[in-house]
Amino acid sequence: SQRLSAEAADEVRRGHFSILRQVVAETGGTEVKNLGDGLMVAFGSASAALACSVAMQQGVERDNRRRDHLVGLRVGLSGGEVTHEDDDYFGDPVIEAARLCAVCESGQILAADIVRLIAGRRSRHPYNPLGELTLKGLPDPVETVEVLWEPFGGSDAGGVPLPARLARRPTAGVVGREAEVETLLDAMKRVIASEGREVLLVSGEAGQGKTTLVAEAARVGFDDGACVLFGHCEEDLATPYQLFSEAITHFVTHADEEQLLAHVGAHGSELARLVPALASRIPDLPAYKATDADTERYLLFAAVVGLLATVSEHQPVVLLLDDLQWADKGSLQLLRHLTAADRPMRVLVLGTYRDSELSHSHALVETLGRLRRHSGVSRIELTGLDDTGVLSLMEATAGHSLDAAGVGLAHALYRETDGNPFFVGEVLRHLSETGAIYQDSTGRWVAEDSFDQIALPDSVREVIGARVVRLGGDAERVLSMAAVIGRDFDLDVLARATGTTDDYLLDVLDQATAVALVRERTDAPGRYSFAHALIQHTLYADLGPTRRARAHRHVAEAIESLSGDRPGARVGELAHHWFHATQA
């Protein structure tokens, strides 16, 4: 560094520490303190510490490729019990790591063998055993290994990588959604061409492939140079601003330090309320400006919008927000603010939600109403694949065209699942695992039996069961009785069989219709059907033998009561129910 000017040396030092801190943030480490010419970092797991050390060496080596004056890095690792006081750590592992670092050569990683043992199979880095090393200040030699690493191949592509959740493309690809994909890509093209911000919401019941669809569009955008960010929600696990916290954390973790410094210069440390990782990347953040809750929220929203707008000046941004039906109130408020912001930006927001899980009082319903008032907001509603779509999905999964038996199976799957891609895939997997279908020596699917009724995999039963349970025990009892009647059932028969009033049943069936479990037949008032045959099969299969037989008896008695002295028109139904009401 003595051959460099003071200003050039400072620039090299800042760049070097930026690389190290970025890797620390990526691997989940905590910077304990700056040692002047290095960092002390603590980790919750040995595998994370090993991954961080290798990534640090790779990052420094890649950065050296563009420098005349090379920067060296030495890394020492140890693990064990330590004492934590005043934001610092003390103990033998701290001393061991420091002493190992001191005996390292440039570009080398030395670790106490205990680190390798603790990491076990979670770390796949190769090691070179060095035996016992005598280290200054330690009474006993330390069994040591060298952690081997390879430089990154090729040149430094830089940029924010594609989020891991979106990187894996489904084996069969996106099938039967050609029109929807084209709509998404058209919106992408408009945003890339600087025609303004757009919000495109994709709705549908669980299993329709909403995430698969938008992830495909996001991958296309990434390949075209877009910065792709991803946030999702989980049921009953919402935290404040969870959607945006996950998405922006990905950017802060991987972005260049210059971008982050520019943002901090414009918005201060407000983004750190949403993304604590910002403090790991940029030490010594300025104090927060907000003095009350309203001001805090305003500055935070401005910081998020400002970040996305600034990034989009250099490359378009695709912001994917998954499972909006479980989003917290803060995330929905921030989404509305982003949509209404008048700052020009090249941002495409792709949101997914289950419309079958929204009540009239749901917070997302109000948000959707407000979003529709703005230009550039549109919606795609996904329904089940048609018969041809199911056939195409099966052929894409099999990798070849189907013969007559395979086509028959595809038609049976369509009838049972109503084209729900998740149900189709799970039933196919179940049939394969149970041997009902198998691949012959040529790779073609062969069916052992006919498929008048499809077997139920546990995954499908769990999904359907969870939707029924949300309605409560009374609704579950009513729907179970309806399942005994059949996929199609009449309100009057159900009322007699359950011993309840029509008005009560209408309330229950309205709830079941809202979550896409049943449908009211528009061509026959008072007549309903289950949305998928699998729903009826699941509810029926979940009844025990005794309860099932009693239910058949109640249904048969209800039909006889309604038929009076003229049961002839329904003699087939009566025979079916009385037969199953009889104990063997």
Side-chain angles (χ1 to χ4, degrees):
S1 60
Q2 294 178 349
R3 292 175 292 174
L4 300 176
S5 66
E7 292 78 8
D10 283 341
E11 181 183 351
V12 171
R13 179 182 57 79
R14 285 194 298 268
H16 177 71
F17 278 101
S18 175
I19 293 171
L20 302 188
R21 288 184 171 117
Q22 179 173 349
V23 175
V24 170
E26 290 173 353
T27 52
T30 301
E31 180 180 336
V32 180
K33 57 186 174 182
N34 187 323
L35 303 173
D37 60 349
L39 298 176
M40 177 179 173
V41 184
F43 293 87
S45 71
S47 58
L50 288 164
C52 181
S53 63
V54 170
M56 281 181 169
Q57 291 286 14
Q58 291 173 327
V60 169
E61 188 277 335
R62 183 170 57 185
D63 185 63
N64 280 336
R65 298 176 195 175
R66 61 185 181 87
R67 296 188 180 278
D68 296 328
H69 303 282
L70 303 184
V71 178
L73 178 67
R74 300 173 297 164
V75 181
L77 296 170
S78 186
E81 293 190 10
V82 294
T83 301
H84 186 202
E85 292 180 1
D86 299 327
D87 295 326
D88 204 349
Y89 290 88
F90 305 92
D92 287 346
V94 177
I95 300 173
E96 287 180 7
R99 296 295 183 259
L100 287 170
C101 185
V103 299
C104 273
E105 297 179 1
S106 179
Q108 193 176 33
I109 304 170
L110 296 184
D113 192 52
I114 187 65
V115 177
R116 177 187 66 82
L117 293 173
I118 294 174
R121 291 182 296 172
R122 290 183 178 273
S123 175
R124 301 189 180 278
H125 301 295
Y127 304 94
N128 177 30
L130 300 180
E132 294 184 341
L133 297 185
T134 300
L135 302 176
K136 180 180 178 181
L138 294 175
D140 300 315
V142 176
E143 190 72 29
T144 306
V145 296
E146 180 184 6
V147 183
L148 305 179
W149 60 277
E150 293 291 335
F152 284 122
S155 60
D156 180 12
V160 177
L162 187 69
R165 281 176 171 264
L166 306 180
R168 183 178 299 175
R169 193 171 190 267
T171 304
V174 180
V175 180
R177 304 294 192 192
E178 290 76 12
E180 291 85 354
V181 170
E182 185 176 354
T183 298
L184 287 167
L185 296 184
D186 286 344
M188 186 89 66
K189 292 174 184 177
R190 291 192 295 270
V191 170
I192 292 176
S194 302
E195 295 184 22
R197 169 191 56 246
E198 290 201 28
V199 178
L200 208 165
L201 303 170
V202 181
S203 65
E205 69 169 328
Q208 294 292 6
K210 302 179 294 298
T211 305
T212 300
L213 177 65
V214 294
E216 178 71 10
R219 284 189 289 268
V220 173
F222 182 78
D223 292 339
D224 288 340
C227 173
V228 176
L229 306 177
F230 174 83
H232 82 292
C233 288
E234 296 183 19
E235 188 175 13
D236 300 326
L237 292 176
T239 57
Y241 303 111
Q242 180 177 345
L243 281 171
F244 288 87
S245 177
E246 180 182 1
I248 305 300
T249 294
H250 180 73
F251 177 83
V252 168
T253 299
H254 298 281
D256 292 334
E257 186 178 15
E258 292 182 2
Q259 290 178 293
L260 301 180
L261 287 172
H263 176 79
V264 171
H267 296 277
S269 58
E270 301 306 322
L271 199 63
R273 299 181 188 273
L274 186 72
V275 185
L278 182 63
S280 299
R281 294 295 313 279
I282 309 296
D284 303 322
L285 287 172
Y288 295 121
K289 299 177 183 178
T291 57
D292 58 79
D294 290 339
T295 304
E296 176 184 321
R297 183 169 58 251
Y298 172 79
L299 292 175
L300 174 60
F301 287 10
V304 172
V305 171
L307 178 69
L308 295 176
T310 301
V311 174
S312 72
E313 293 175 1
H314 307 285
Q315 61 180 144
V317 176
V318 177
L319 176 61
L320 201 163
L321 305 176
D322 200 26
D323 282 324
L324 287 169
Q325 76 278 355
W326 295 325
D328 60 284
K329 182 179 179 181
S331 292
L332 296 178
Q333 289 176 333
L334 184 45
L335 174 59
R336 296 203 302 261
H337 182 84
L338 173 62
T339 305
D342 57 3
R343 184 167 177 176
M345 62 181 78
R346 293 188 296 163
V347 175
L348 174 61
V349 180
L350 300 177
T352 72
Y353 66 95
R354 299 180 186 178
D355 50 2
S356 60
E357 298 187 13
L358 301 183
S359 63
H360 294 299
S361 59
H362 198 289
L364 180 57
V365 173
E366 178 187 0
T367 296
L368 294 174
R370 294 194 180 189
L371 293 182
R372 292 190 184 102
R373 302 173 190 172
H374 301 283
S375 60
V377 177
S378 55
R379 175 182 170 186
I380 296 175
E381 184 175 358
L382 288 189
T383 56
L385 300 173
D386 58 18
D387 206 346
T388 303
V390 173
L391 180 61
S392 298
L393 178 59
M394 287 187 59
E395 289 181 337
T397 303
H400 58 75
S401 58
L402 300 181
D403 56 16
V407 172
L409 173 59
H411 292 327
L413 279 173
Y414 172 70
R415 290 193 303 271
E416 293 289 306
T417 65
D418 206 35
N420 184 296
F422 171 76
F423 290 165
V424 171
E426 291 300 300
V427 171
L428 268 179
R429 186 178 297 109
H430 181 68
L431 292 174
S432 177
E433 291 173 351
T434 57
I437 60 174
Y438 62 90
Q439 288 180 293
D440 63 15
S441 58
T442 67
R444 291 189 170 273
W445 287 104
V446 178
E448 287 287 347
D449 303 301
S450 63
F451 295 96
D452 293 332
Q453 182 159 322
I454 301 295
L456 291 174
D458 289 340
S459 56
V460 172
R461 295 177 68 167
E462 289 166 0
V463 169
I464 294 173
R467 289 163 63 182
V468 174
V469 166
R470 290 193 191 100
L471 298 180
D474 290 342
E476 185 175 3
R477 183 176 65 87
V478 167
L479 293 175
S480 295
M481 184 65 75
V484 171
I485 298 174
R487 181 173 183 182
D488 298 310
F489 56 92
D490 294 326
L491 182 66
D492 53 358
V493 175
L494 184 59
R496 291 289 182 97
T498 56
T500 55
T501 65
D502 289 354
D503 290 339
Y504 171 79
L505 285 183
L506 285 173
D507 290 339
V508 171
L509 294 176
D510 284 346
Q511 295 177 45
T513 301
V515 296
L517 288 171
V518 302
R519 297 170 182 162
E520 186 174 6
R521 296 277 296 273
T522 56
D523 58 337
R527 191 161 178 78
Y528 291 79
S529 63
F530 285 97
H532 310 300
L534 289 180
I535 297 174
Q536 186 245 334
H537 296 335
T538 298
L539 289 164
Y540 186 82
D542 285 345
L543 293 172
T546 302
R547 190 173 295 277
R548 191 182 304 158
R550 287 177 60 85
H552 276 292
R553 180 182 183 88
H554 290 315
V555 172
E557 290 172 345
I559 294 175
E560 285 187 345
S561 175
L562 290 169
S563 300
D565 56 358
R566 303 183 63 183
R570 309 187 73 163
V571 67
E573 291 178 76
L574 285 169
H576 168 77
H577 291 296
W578 279 121
F579 175 81
H580 288 285
T582 304
Q583 298 293 333

